[in-house]
Amino acid sequence: MTDIMDSPAVKAAVRSAAAGAGTGTTGAEDARGSADSAARGSANPSQPSAHQPLRAAVVRAAELARAAEERARDKQHAKGKKTARERLDMLFDTGTFEEIGRFQGGNIAAGNAGAAVITGFGLIYGRKVAVYAQDFSVKGGTLGTAEGEKICRLMDMAIDLKVPIVAIVDSGGARIQEGVAALTQYGRIFRKTCEASGFVPQLSLILGPCAGGAVYCPALTDLIIMTRENSNMFVTGPDVVKAATGETISMADLGGGEVHNRVSGVAHYLGEDESDAIDYARTVLAYLPSNAESQPPVYAYAATRAERDTAKRLAQIVPANERQPYDMLDVIRCIVDYGEFVQVQELFGASALVGFACIDGHPVGVVANQPNVRAGILDVDSSEKVARFVRLCDAFNLPVVTLVDVPGYKPGSDQEHAGIIRRGAKVIYAYANAQVPLVTVVLRKAFGGAYIVMGSKAIGADLNFAWPSSQIAVLGAAGAVNIIHRHDLAKAKAAGQDVEALRARYIKEYETSTVNANLSLEIGQIDAMIDPEQTREVIAESLATLATKRRVRRTTKHHGNQPL
């Protein structure tokens, strides 16, 4: 789309008008003069300007747009923030942004350049994406009727065109002067977001304040990206909190980027600054398809000797001792293309890892336990993290590769009271309903209910593999022996025998007979035993085998009742 504001004639007229501002002539007079001059000076009679001189109103609109951006720079840069248009330049491939409704909600004659939101389309890595960017320099970025109309129109177009939607949020919330009319627009945006959910990817960049009911716009999207500074989300601000509870708290401590990435889990990435946050959004979109009806993009990849040598390192990364921690990130980087793994919710529920990667050029979602953090145990936070990520992958046709090394669920009253039953059930629901290719590898241990929910064959995985040293059982050997042989151990203690030596013997016997992958292999719950260095190759071959897997509707239900 070519905007008349970008035409050489209009730009020349605006420059002339700006120069004439100091000569005593009025802007309108100078605009008319420069417009006529531009028309007379046209060397090519076929150009529109030769037959239709620029109207003063057009030049006036261009002047307003230029002045508005200058004001925005002055206001935003003073706060260490970019303007909405500068953010769009960073988000999209150079020169590809096409704005729609630029002056909608404005009054050119009265000197109002437009609404407090910019809407349009652009390209990210060559693929079309819709965007709305709130402009804090215009009425604090507040949302009124005009802004709501622009956003809803953009979202309707994005759904029709089947392209992702990116929201850049920097707003003071609902425009109080418009009262319920402003709140009504939030309701419309909520509904549009729900309509688009699972159909096109939706990302929210929180690059300023986001308060009150406005927080539910990003909360309904797939990923929320925040920054360390200037980024805030809360339903009730510090002043309201103090008035209601007496608690004094800063905006950052109440709902800053660090809080929502590390504590609440509301956000999915913490950018060091706006550039980092926007770059993450671009990166994530590179792994996702444009919509649920499309497949993810495929990238050229050619394995080299370095990659094959890296795959062989897997045998040395995972310790044989089940109690010795290691970094699962090292394992993942040995498996995926170029060792590139884009984490999601890196700071939240850290005993599990989720994120995007490629295998032989094909994007996949990776889910893994992290033995470096509480032995990779599942708790309320990591359960929700895994469940939501699997649902995201399933919605947008990304195969899920699950790497398992889990001792079970975290015990304790705090977990029970926090709803580990309800939250753990979310993982079950996500895997059991997923219809994308599911490939699971048990690296070291998989015990109890945690084994079942982490992409087991029983819950719906397509292909499951295990390393030779893997342990798969209801309980670890030590825990099982303490239950099974508790009477024998008690008798030995009463008789003065060496209880620890007896316990060690029982543990060794249990490990040999039960805590291994043999039973799972025999009953078909594990498809094959593989050497660690074969892991990447086996996953790639499995994904190629499952590439033609298609979705099946097994019942006529409207939808399931997911545990929430």
Side-chain angles (χ1 to χ4, degrees), residues 356-368:
F356 303 103
C358 283
I359 302 285
D360 280 353
H362 294 266
V364 299
V366 178
V367 176

Side-chain angles (χ1 to χ4, degrees), residues 219-551:
L220 291 167
T221 61
D222 298 305
L223 295 173
I224 296 176
I225 302 165
M226 301 181 73
T227 57
R228 289 191 184 277
E229 304 292 335
N230 300 319
S231 182
N232 297 284
M233 292 179 71
F234 37 71
V235 176
T236 54
D239 292 340
V240 176
V241 169
K242 184 174 183 179
T245 69
E247 179 186 6
T248 300
I249 190 169
S250 68
M251 290 177 67
D253 290 339
L254 179 62
E258 185 82 22
V259 168
H260 285 312
N261 274 273
R262 196 178 296 276
V263 181
S264 72
V266 167
H268 301 83
Y269 182 74
L270 180 64
E272 292 299 322
D273 51 29
E274 292 189 13
S275 298
D276 184 30
I278 291 171
D279 183 65
Y280 183 82
R282 285 176 55 87
T283 300
V284 166
L285 287 172
Y287 289 92
L288 295 171
S290 294
N291 56 72
E293 296 176 354
S294 304
Q295 292 300 310
V298 179
Y299 300 99
Y301 177 79
T304 64
R305 179 177 295 178
E307 267 81 45
R308 287 190 287 269
D309 291 342
T310 299
K312 293 178 182 178
R313 287 186 50 234
L314 285 171
Q316 284 78 48
I317 292 175
V318 180
N321 182 353
E322 67 174 79
R323 294 183 176 275
Q324 186 175 342
Y326 64 94
D327 193 348
M328 183 64 82
L329 285 171
D330 292 337
V331 174
I332 295 172
R333 289 171 183 144
C334 287
I335 294 172
V336 301
D337 294 356
Y338 309 114
E340 294 178 357
F341 179 53
V342 180
Q343 283 201 68
V344 175
Q345 287 187 304
E346 178 180 356
L347 304 177
F348 179 74
S351 61
L353 300 172
V354 301
F356 303 103
C358 283
I359 302 285
D360 280 353
H362 294 266
V364 299
V366 178
V367 176
N369 305 109
Q370 174 56 293
N372 246 1
V373 179
R374 296 186 294 278
I377 206 162
L378 284 178
D379 58 14
V380 291
D381 290 343
S382 59
S383 293
E384 289 207 335
K385 174 178 175 176
V386 168
R388 195 168 192 277
F389 183 75
V390 171
R391 294 286 281 177
L392 173 65
C393 292
D394 185 50
F396 295 112
N397 305 319
L398 262 68
V400 177
V401 175
T402 306
L403 305 176
V404 182
D405 189 347
V406 61
Y409 285 96
K410 183 180 179 181
S413 60
D414 61 325
Q415 291 292 299
E416 298 296 344
H417 296 169
I420 188 63
I421 297 172
R422 168 173 53 86
R423 300 188 196 209
K426 296 181 183 182
V427 184
I428 299 172
Y429 196 93
Y431 272 107
N433 283 278
Q435 295 201 31
V436 292
L438 302 175
V439 179
T440 300
V441 182
V442 179
L443 307 188
R444 190 168 63 171
K445 59 184 178 296
F447 295 150
Y451 153 65
I452 293 297
V453 306
M454 286 294 294
S456 68
K457 180 69 69 71
I459 209 171
D462 299 295
L463 292 170
N464 293 61
F465 305 93
W467 286 5
S469 58
S470 59
Q471 300 180 343
I472 304 174
V474 176
L475 278 175
V481 164
N482 287 338
I483 294 174
I484 297 171
H485 296 287
R486 63 182 181 275
H487 294 305
D488 297 329
L489 294 171
K491 289 178 182 177
K493 183 177 181 180
Q497 297 178 10
D498 187 341
V499 176
E500 292 308 314
L502 183 60
R503 190 195 313 274
R505 195 188 86 200
Y506 285 144
I507 289 175
K508 186 175 181 179
E509 290 174 355
Y510 189 82
E511 287 178 340
T512 302
S513 64
T514 306
V515 184
N516 54 55
N518 289 348
L519 178 58
S520 296
L521 280 163
E522 292 164 2
I523 64 175
Q525 293 300 300
I526 295 294
D527 293 299
M529 192 81 75
I530 61 173
D531 284 329
E533 65 185 56
Q534 294 178 293
T535 305
R536 175 184 161 86
E537 178 186 357
V538 167
I539 291 173
E541 290 175 351
S542 298
L543 293 175
T545 299
L546 298 168
T548 55
K549 181 181 179 183
R550 293 294 178 261
R551 297 176 185 273

